[in-house]
Amino acid sequence: MPELPEVEIIRQELEPALHNCSIIKCTLNSPALRYPFSPDFAATLQGAKITATGRRGKYLQISLDNDYVLVWHLGMSGRVKIFALENLYTPEKHDHVHLALSGGGQVVYNDARRFGFMSLHRTDALAQCPPFGAMGPEPLGNHFSGTALHNALAQKKTPIKSALLDQGIVAGIGNIYACEALNDAAIHPGRPALSLSAQECETLARAIRDVLQKALAAGGSSLKDYRKTDGSLGYFQHMFSVYDRAGHPCPRCAEEGGKERPIQRMVQSGRSTFYCLHCQK
DNA sequence: CGGTACTCCTGAAGGC
DNA sequence: TGCCTTCAGGAGTACC
């Protein structure tokens, strides 16, 4: 389930492989990912030159010189494989999209669960079209702050955990980093979002940035080792404080020298939330 | 309109 | 050992 840090790392990996390259051939091995490919999908890509690689929230945005942008979401099992030369590529199960580039490079999209998707949008309409038009600020950008978060949560009665998953409030956060940030900020995931004080929003905004930046830093280094094998991205599970760690001691409580408190699991809106009953208030 | 439940998909993991 | 069930999750949609 790539969230903002994983998608950003993939973008950084794609940038040198794609920039100024033309797409020689686009091969689709499936009629659809989450959504069907548009009939002219491959034809629109073929012959286009890639002018930039961007990211907004969990979405990759590959700009082309034909006035289209390839919008690419990795769902939860999407993996991107990059090969410098054609003869290095061995097809694997769930390789749905294959891009052959000028210069011999290749980019492959593999997605076992097909929750991801690719679509093409006109460049000038991109910022207004769903989901970008209603998307909240980039958490690592200048428009995100404690004040901005406080304002965005002002009318939200929904639990703060659910609010953090709402891409309209802040972009790019998924289940893992929502849990991690709330633990870091010592805020209980079940609190109504509008009940957070300005100070708590300040703390939470800082925690969100910290958690994402740490994941980015760790991902950058772990990726170098991992991509030698198959080019895909792993998760940075070794650094999770609470996610998928029910029963393990809460690291915040351990840091403070207190008694070890086991991490709890509960379900909110059908999704697992991991938190510490003791320190998250 | 806010909020919840359901839906898509497949592989991993657990139970018997 | 192997089959069956359950679970994981983003985001769109249906529905109250």
Side-chain angles (χ1 to χ4, degrees):
Chain A
M1 51 220 110
E3 302 182 25
L4 187 153
E6 291 81 11
V7 177
E8 175 57 23
I9 289 159
I10 290 168
R11 189 202 66 74
Q12 290 172 13
E13 290 295 309
L14 281 170
E15 170 64 28
L18 292 181
H19 192 73
N20 279 338
C21 289
S22 292
I23 299 170
I24 304 297
K25 186 164 179 54
C26 168
T27 306
L28 304 179
N29 300 321
S30 315
L33 295 171
R34 179 184 170 90
Y35 308 111
F37 290 105
S38 61
D40 54 352
F41 182 84
T44 304
L45 289 178
Q46 282 170 180
K49 189 166 105 177
I50 293 152
T51 56
T53 60
R55 178 193 56 75
R56 180 79 171 93
K58 302 172 194 172
Y59 293 78
L60 289 166
Q61 299 175 330
I62 312 296
S63 297
L64 308 170
D65 71 349
N66 61 3
D67 202 30
Y68 280 94
V69 177
L70 172 62
V71 171
W72 187 357
H73 194 289
L74 302 175
M76 61 173 293
S77 59
R79 295 179 184 279
V80 178
K81 300 188 282 187
I82 302 169
F83 302 90
L85 294 169
E86 187 176 355
N87 60 10
L88 297 177
Y89 171 58
T90 307
E92 291 177 298
K93 197 175 180 184
H94 306 304
D95 281 356
H96 301 297
V97 181
H98 180 279
L99 300 178
L101 307 170
S102 58
Q106 297 178 93
V107 171
V108 176
Y109 182 54
N110 181 288
D111 189 349
R113 295 179 202 178
R114 278 190 276 136
F115 269 32
F117 62 87
M118 287 178 170
S119 58
L120 288 162
H121 296 262
R122 286 280 183 183
T123 305
D124 55 9
L126 185 68
Q128 288 74 45
C129 75
F132 303 113
M135 194 173 281
E138 284 292 315
L140 299 179
N142 293 331
H143 297 293
F144 183 67
S145 65
T147 305
L149 184 59
H150 196 227
N151 290 338
L153 298 178
Q155 310 297 327
K156 300 286 181 183
K157 296 174 190 168
T158 195
I160 182 60
K161 158 74 182 323
S162 304
L164 291 181
L165 296 179
D166 181 347
Q167 302 299 295
I169 290 178
V170 55
I173 297 175
N175 204 39
I176 292 172
Y177 296 112
C179 292
E180 295 294 308
L182 285 168
N183 176 257
D184 194 74
I187 293 168
H188 192 287
R191 291 264 304 278
L194 52 69
S195 76
L196 270 67
S197 68
Q199 180 55 52
E200 285 175 318
C201 286
E202 204 64 48
T203 304
L204 181 54
R206 185 197 51 73
I208 288 167
R209 275 193 295 267
D210 281 359
V211 162
L212 294 178
Q213 268 163 351
K214 279 179 189 164
L216 266 172
S221 55
S222 69
L223 178 64
K224 281 176 188 159
D225 302 324
Y226 198 59
R227 71 176 168 178
K228 284 175 187 165
T229 58
D230 66 3
S232 59
L233 285 173
Y235 286 100
F236 316 130
Q237 299 184 15
H238 53 282
M239 59 177 293
F240 297 160
S241 294
V242 290
Y243 183 79
D244 206 21
R245 293 183 57 78
H248 289 81
C250 169
R252 289 190 91 261
C253 291
E255 260 176 37
E256 288 160 14
K259 185 182 168 188
E260 284 193 353
R261 313 285 179 161
I263 291 160
Q264 311 288 313
R265 176 184 181 271
M266 68 171 167
V267 175
Q268 293 179 290
S269 309
R271 301 217 173 89
S272 293
T273 298
F274 299 89
Y275 69 106
C276 175
L277 200 51
H278 176 68
C279 71
Q280 290 180 244
K281 301 297 185 188

